[in-house]
Amino acid sequence: MILVIKNDKKNQMDKLIKWIAGQGLDIHMSEGANTTVVGLIGDTSKIDIDLISSLEIVESVKRISEPYKKANRKFHPNDTVVSVAADRDSPQTGNAAAKKPVQIGGKAFTFIAGPCSVESRDQIVGIALAVKKSGASILRGGAFKPRTSPYAFQGLGEEGVKLLIEAKKESGLPIVTEIMNAGQLPLFQDVDIIQIGARNMQNFDLLKEVGRSKKPILLKRGLANTVEEWLMSAEYIMSKGNENVVLCERGIRTFEPLTRNTLDLSAIPLIKELTHLPVIADPSHASGLSRLVLPLSMAAAAAGSDGLMIEVHNDPTNALCDGAQSIRPEQFDEVARKVGAVLAAIGRERG
Ligand code: PEP
Ligand code: MN
């Protein structure tokens, strides 16, 4: 249920909040430029809508039928902008020059790029510097890899996280990497965005655990999950207090075997309607084919995505993971340029 508050009666807010708490409900406040919206969370079935409507402070009341509340745009009409690495000027990162946090959502369009897996210091630092030059503002790299085969390269693990942090120091780029279980959280202290991969989108214990952290979470869509299930997973994270969630459309399983997955482009404008959370696209995992990364990137930007996450490798042929879908740094440069032209055409800034 949401209540729109009368601007000139805001002084009665404390009384209202107390009354709502007395009904055993939680509150989600959203203060916009012109309206204040109070969302009621919990079992609102016994609330008398006529009684609430009659309160002097209340302009209007609406029941929300969707099961996601905090993630719902009706609860929070303005776009959420997630700030990444606001601590980049701390001595920890050793980079006093990079002061401004990177933003995802709102007006900005953000490029995240890097290899599927961290393989060596030279590899990750080299790629970080190259993609930064082309306009990436966040570095990706997997350390703990969810592989279909137990015999495939599983990632460098803790060593991979350390190398990513070195690449962050060298390049000044904040970093995003995937977590596989809550026990790994202590290793993520200097990681700027925690990725929840497609296979863990409904690992509810993990979602609750990262919901207790303050770090931005990149929540990938599950291989065979509906948009509503995806938003319910975001709700799990938000329900524990962490509202810094970025969604990532990375393709879903369909009957089409010629691509690894099918990029669900329609999910992007749909998500913008249903939620205030930012959404980015991952054309690499969506297609599995490096030659499709450029057209899908342009299409996702045109469809309104808030950014892209792209796999970039210095030597895709010899990559330890996902070489076939990885583009080289010079190809990433072309993608960034051409997506830039799309952004200019739709009146969107590059973040
Ligand atoms: C990845 O980003 O490298 C990854 C494993 O992605 P997904 O969870 O989308 O398969
Ligand atoms: Mn990958």
Side-chain angles (χ1 to χ4, degrees):
M1 187 179 277
I2 57 166
L3 317 179
V4 177
I5 301 302
K6 284 183 191 153
N7 267 337
D8 59 338
K9 295 281 187 298
K10 278 199 208 157
N11 54 338
Q12 299 178 21
M13 195 66 113
D14 284 353
K15 221 166 101 191
L16 177 72
I17 290 173
K18 233 182 185 164
W19 184 82
I20 295 169
Q23 308 295 309
L25 298 169
D26 285 334
I27 290 163
H28 183 273
M29 291 267 291
S30 171
E31 202 128 6
N34 304 314
T35 44
T36 301
V37 173
V38 177
L40 310 193
I41 301 161
D43 180 10
T44 56
S45 58
K46 291 185 190 71
I47 297 280
D48 180 347
I49 206 159
D50 294 329
L51 176 67
I52 292 209
S53 308
S54 69
L55 300 176
E56 215 187 336
I57 180 173
V58 173
E59 170 126 7
S60 63
V61 183
K62 223 191 308 168
R63 281 205 188 273
I64 304 295
S65 51
E66 295 86 5
Y68 47 92
K69 310 294 178 188
K70 292 193 170 193
N72 203 315
R73 195 179 274 283
K74 291 173 189 159
F75 265 53
H76 188 295
N78 297 329
D79 287 342
T80 282
V81 178
V82 172
S83 269
V84 181
D87 66 336
R88 275 194 303 159
D89 55 338
S90 75
Q92 243 177 332
T93 63
N95 191 341
K99 278 209 171 68
K100 261 178 60 191
V102 175
Q103 303 203 311
I104 310 180
K107 287 201 178 75
F109 186 94
T110 310
F111 286 98
I112 304 176
C116 179
S117 301
V118 179
E119 296 173 10
S120 68
R121 189 183 192 282
D122 281 357
Q123 176 238 23
I124 191 68
V125 172
I127 294 172
L129 296 174
V131 296
K132 182 181 182 183
K133 226 182 197 171
S134 301
S137 50
I138 299 174
L139 175 67
R140 67 148 283 147
F144 299 99
K145 295 304 302 178
R147 303 304 302 278
T148 303
S149 166
Y151 308 117
F153 175 59
Q154 303 286 305
L156 295 182
E158 187 171 351
E159 177 61 17
V161 178
K162 283 188 188 146
L163 294 177
L164 257 181
I165 293 166
E166 283 194 37
K168 162 174 162 170
K169 285 181 185 159
E170 293 282 333
S171 64
L173 292 179
I175 51 177
V176 53
T177 193
E178 178 168 355
I179 195 165
M180 301 253 281
N181 63 65
Q184 292 163 350
L185 262 174
L187 300 173
F188 281 62
Q189 223 144 19
D190 291 330
V191 168
D192 303 293
I193 308 179
I194 301 175
Q195 176 173 326
I196 301 287
R199 288 151 195 86
N200 269 318
M201 189 206 88
Q202 287 191 313
N203 182 339
F204 300 117
D205 283 346
L206 182 57
L207 298 176
K208 284 190 256 186
E209 217 42 67
V210 298
R212 291 186 188 101
S213 116
K214 297 262 178 295
K215 287 193 191 284
I217 308 297
L218 181 67
L219 179 64
K220 291 191 129 191
R221 181 177 182 181
L223 278 69
N225 285 108
T226 64
V227 166
E228 188 165 292
E229 286 165 343
W230 188 15
L231 292 178
M232 287 310 285
S233 291
E235 189 78 13
Y236 257 96
I237 299 169
M238 299 173 87
S239 71
K240 293 294 171 202
N242 188 352
E243 306 210 347
N244 297 311
V245 180
V246 178
L247 301 163
C248 178
E249 162 57 42
R250 47 77 74 204
I252 48 173
R253 279 258 163 106
T254 67
F255 48 81
E256 177 52 64
L258 294 183
T259 49
R260 186 176 179 183
N261 293 290
T262 298
L263 180 62
D264 183 5
L265 267 182
S266 54
I268 293 170
L270 191 60
I271 282 281
K272 303 299 293 180
E273 239 174 70
L274 301 176
T275 178
H276 50 91
L277 297 173
V279 60
I280 66 169
D282 170 349
S284 311
H285 291 90
S287 65
L289 298 168
S290 59
R291 66 179 189 281
L292 296 194
V293 168
L294 172 61
L296 293 186
S297 295
M298 293 194 292
S305 102
D306 294 301
L308 289 163
M309 180 154 88
I310 297 178
E311 286 191 342
V312 178
H313 198 286
N314 52 318
D315 182 11
T317 325
N318 292 304
L320 296 181
C321 186
D322 285 351
Q325 67 194 34
S326 300
I327 57 174
R328 293 190 310 276
E330 60 274 21
Q331 293 173 300
F332 174 70
D333 191 71
E334 184 189 359
V335 170
R337 263 189 299 110
K338 293 195 169 157
V339 168
V342 172
L343 296 174
I346 61 172
R348 184 113 195 228
E349 290 167 17
R350 261 174 77 150

